[in-house]
Amino acid sequence: MFHTVCDMLSTNDFVYVLALDFSKAFDSVRHATLMDKMALLTLPDEVYNWIRDFFCSHSHCTKFVGEVSSLVDITASVIQGSSLGPASYIVNAADLHPRHAANHMMKFADDIYLIIPALNSRTRDDELIHVKSWAAPSNLQLNAPSHTKLFFVHADSEEKQSNRHRRVLTSSASTN
């Protein structure tokens, strides 16, 4: 990410980095959506069917004070501690890309960083809407506040701004 931000700063005065966090991401991914995405991969049928059985054959019941509830199918979640959990989440997020070409997106498990150069700063809200609409079919929701903003400014830009400000002050002072 550092390299991407530095590259963008070489041609932009500033760069936004939005750190996006989904609420209970691993617990929320719909199995149906995940399996649709898995079906697009080049997997042998046996492997796909094994993965499908792994996700689609789980149910849950609760025992409390000697009473046991009826079984309910589990239709969402990737098991973090399993060998398939993190890889499955990566498959789920693989089709999420920035909407605008000059923007970049970096994903680390369930963390997403949207990197937007000054040139594209007007696309920030559109990108957030895009991420939210991508997340809906998978049952994912951005935490509120929906993101953390980091703002990187090129060192030369700060100096230019400072010099510009000094020039304005000098010009204002000399006209009085």
Side-chain angles (χ1 to χ4, degrees):
M1 180 170 34
F2 181 71
H3 178 72
T4 302
V5 169
C6 288
D7 273 357
M8 286 182 176
L9 284 174
S10 69
T11 57
N12 288 272
D13 287 342
F14 63 88
V15 174
Y16 285 112
V17 176
L18 305 179
L20 306 177
D21 180 43
F22 291 105
S23 178
K24 300 186 180 198
F26 281 87
D27 297 333
S28 302
V29 174
R30 280 195 183 102
H31 295 162
T33 304
L34 175 61
M35 295 317 303
D36 288 346
K37 293 177 182 188
M38 289 275 190
L40 299 174
L41 300 175
T42 309
L43 294 173
D45 288 345
E46 299 82 10
V47 173
Y48 173 83
N49 290 334
W50 182 84
I51 293 170
R52 189 176 185 290
D53 286 344
F54 177 82
F55 282 108
C56 299
S57 342
H58 291 273
S59 55
H60 171 80
C61 69
T62 302
K63 182 177 181 179
F64 181 72
V65 190
E67 296 288 322
V68 179
S69 69
S70 57
L71 287 174
V72 176
D73 288 336
I74 298 172
T75 59
S77 85
V78 293
I79 303 166
Q80 269 183 286
S82 71
S83 57
L84 281 179
S88 296
Y89 189 84
I90 290 168
V91 168
N92 186 66
D95 62 347
L96 176 59
H97 303 285
R99 181 176 217 142
H100 301 276
N103 298 340
H104 288 265
M105 190 174 284
M106 298 197 160
K107 299 174 246 177
F108 304 99
D110 61 339
D111 297 323
I112 296 175
Y113 299 93
L114 183 57
I115 306 167
I116 304 172
L119 181 71
N120 270 15
S121 62
R122 72 192 186 298
T123 69
R124 186 175 62 185
D125 290 341
D126 188 45
E127 289 286 6
L128 287 172
I129 290 167
H130 171 65
V131 170
K132 287 177 185 177
S133 66
W134 168 87
S138 293
N139 199 37
L140 296 172
Q141 293 183 346
L142 288 174
N143 274 327
S146 61
H147 57 279
T148 300
K149 294 178 221 162
L150 301 172
F151 187 76
F152 294 90
V153 179
H154 192 284
D156 290 345
S157 294
E158 284 182 347
E159 188 176 311
K160 285 178 196 170
Q161 290 293 340
S162 180
N163 287 339
R164 216 177 285 144
H165 183 65
R166 265 183 256 150
R167 269 185 259 138
V168 169
L169 288 177
T170 305
S171 300
S172 300
S174 62
T175 58
N176 289 338

